[in-house]
Amino acid sequence: MQKTAFSGDYWDDRSLMDGQFFPVHARGMSKNNLTAPLARFVATVREKVDELSLRLESAPDGEITVDLVAWTLGAFYDGTLAGFFGPNVLDARGTTRAELYQALETYDRAFPIIASGLIPPIFVERIPDVKKARAAQHVLAATFADWIAGGFEGLEHGVVRDMAQVALDNNLGDYEAGKMLVADFWASMANAPFIAVRLLVTLLQAPRDLRDDLQREIDAAMAPVLSEGDYGEVPEMSFAYLAQSLPLLGSCITETLRLETSALSIRVVEKDIVLTSDEYAPTQSTVIVPANSRLVNVTRMHHLNDAEWHGNAAEWDGRRFFDGGDSAKTDPEERSEDPNWRSKRAREVYGFGGGISRVSLFFRSCFARPIAD
């Protein structure tokens, strides 16, 4: 899938991908190495919130009309670009913000067709939308390539720099390194922004008591930082801090992930898997999933299974994974023996990896200084 979607023969080189690219990416995306990117993400989103607040304050009648989806996607785009690439990634080639955004949208529009593998390559490249996507991919790759050639201006360290460096160390060149970064950039924008949009829409319709509790939680989490004076200062962005200070927000995001993420996930099995339990093989002693099989994991069946979620799997419950308050009293299966059983159930939600962190930071940034009641 990666070779077809992102192009490049090196995707077939397992020693290069498994031995260098993937380990570098995993290390760069570990929680301890994302502090600086998340801080830049938050600072950028705060600027967007301040701009929106200024528009509201300047409006003659105190009201403005905002395209919620467009604003949220734009905020995520700006935050992601600054977070992973730093402030100067567009300068080397002179690509504008709008041009890069349009290229990303064009490429993303054809991505399901390209990545599905259902259409032979000789035919898929003739599809008009795919042709447009390849041209858009060139805009993205060339922008990143010129930035790489210029010495990664504005970014001293980070996962995208490390990934590009692997490409350079293996003599793939600036352009192929740029294509590798297209994969990272696309992946960073593929899911989290849309979950944020869905969560915003859901919270606007949520019970007032939940919204009030959520506002108080965010205010309390931000108070120690904002009380120091400079609104532009960025607090510690560790994942431990997020989990500890924003449990209700984490529950709301996890619940949205449960209901709104992809219906299935397709993976290739790397080695033979033998399933022997009665649960997996009720009619025979063992089931063997051979290596190189394409495995379709239908996570949505689990997420919407009433038997797994106390009979209300189709309902959005922002407190479903929240241990605090009186939420446990409303559940038909009180589990007083473990006061943290609700938050532990979040492990049973198989949304996209890492999504909760950036969505959490987005909401933390938006509501730290409320722009409207």
Side-chain angles (χ1 to χ4, degrees):
M1 186 275 280
Q2 291 98 331
K3 179 181 178 180
T4 303
F6 303 118
S7 66
D9 291 337
Y10 50 83
W11 287 98
D12 287 335
D13 187 341
R14 303 321 306 172
S15 63
L16 179 59
M17 300 307 299
D18 295 343
Q20 296 185 54
F21 275 120
F22 291 157
V24 166
H25 189 270
R27 183 167 60 250
M29 292 297 288
S30 66
K31 295 178 180 180
N32 292 335
N33 289 323
L34 287 178
T35 299
L38 294 179
R40 290 192 293 268
F41 177 88
V42 167
T44 303
V45 173
R46 283 184 177 178
E47 291 178 3
K48 301 288 288 186
V49 173
D50 284 345
E51 292 172 4
L52 192 58
S53 179
L54 182 61
R55 284 179 55 195
L56 180 61
E57 293 172 359
S58 303
D61 56 358
E63 295 182 0
I64 59 173
T65 300
V66 177
D67 185 326
L68 186 62
V69 174
W71 184 88
T72 302
L73 295 180
F76 257 90
Y77 168 76
D78 290 336
T80 298
L81 200 61
F84 283 114
F85 293 86
N88 306 119
V89 65
L90 301 179
D91 297 347
R93 191 174 181 83
T95 307
T96 67
R97 172 197 180 277
E99 287 171 342
L100 198 74
Y101 192 24
Q102 180 61 46
L104 178 65
E105 285 191 316
T106 301
Y107 179 68
D108 181 63
R109 192 174 301 118
F111 189 87
I113 302 173
I114 300 172
S116 68
L118 299 177
I119 303 175
I122 192 174
F123 297 120
V124 74
E125 297 296 334
R126 299 180 182 180
I127 299 174
D129 279 352
V130 174
K131 290 181 179 180
K132 294 176 183 177
R134 292 307 188 193
Q137 183 184 17
H138 170 71
V139 172
L140 294 164
T143 298
F144 296 148
D146 286 359
W147 174 67
I148 293 168
F152 305 95
E153 183 181 354
L155 187 69
E156 295 183 2
H157 53 79
V159 63
V160 296
R161 180 165 182 155
D162 294 342
M163 291 288 285
Q165 193 61 54
V166 171
L168 298 179
D169 291 344
N170 284 274
N171 300 315
L172 295 179
D174 296 332
Y175 188 74
E176 291 301 322
K179 284 166 62 177
M180 177 60 70
L181 298 192
V182 172
D184 270 331
F185 187 44
W186 174 85
S188 68
M189 287 291 293
N191 294 298
F194 302 96
I195 290 297
V197 169
R198 185 59 186 171
L199 181 55
L200 273 172
V201 172
T202 302
L203 287 176
L204 289 173
Q205 304 172 70
R208 184 59 185 255
D209 66 303
L210 185 143
R211 286 185 282 134
D212 288 345
D213 288 348
L214 187 58
Q215 183 69 67
R216 282 191 289 268
E217 179 180 270
I218 295 174
D219 288 344
M222 295 300 297
V225 178
L226 300 183
S227 63
E228 296 177 2
D230 186 2
Y231 180 70
E233 293 179 3
V234 178
E236 179 187 0
M237 290 300 153
S238 70
F239 284 81
Y241 177 81
L242 290 174
Q244 182 178 3
S245 62
L246 299 167
L248 180 56
L249 177 57
S251 176
C252 291
I253 295 172
T254 302
E255 178 70 343
T256 305
L257 288 170
R258 184 183 68 83
L259 285 173
E260 303 296 339
T261 43
S262 299
L264 52 86
S265 177
I266 302 175
R267 294 293 183 267
V268 176
V269 179
E270 293 187 346
K271 59 182 180 179
D272 291 350
I273 300 175
V274 179
L275 305 176
T276 58
S277 72
D278 291 339
E279 179 180 358
Y280 294 112
T283 61
Q284 56 193 97
S285 58
T286 60
V287 170
I288 298 176
V289 182
N292 299 317
S293 299
R294 180 173 292 190
L295 191 64
V296 180
N297 182 17
V298 188
T299 55
R300 195 161 179 78
M301 289 181 65
H302 169 71
H303 290 168
L304 298 182
N305 185 353
D306 276 342
E308 295 288 341
W309 303 102
H310 308 305
N312 64 344
E315 300 176 15
W316 186 90
D317 177 4
R319 302 182 193 271
R320 191 183 296 273
F321 305 100
F322 178 60
D323 296 319
D326 297 328
S327 57
K329 297 178 181 179
T330 65
D331 197 278
E333 294 188 20
E334 173 68 34
R335 303 187 184 185
S336 57
E337 70 278 4
D338 184 355
N340 298 320
W341 71 269
R342 281 176 166 264
S343 59
K344 289 180 179 179
R345 289 222 68 189
R347 303 169 188 170
E348 300 175 28
V349 174
Y350 305 101
F352 53 92
I356 187 171
S357 59
R358 282 201 303 135
V359 177
S360 175
L361 286 166
F362 174 79
F363 276 85
R364 181 179 177 186
S365 304
C366 287
F367 290 100
R369 176 182 286 182
I371 60 175
D373 184 24

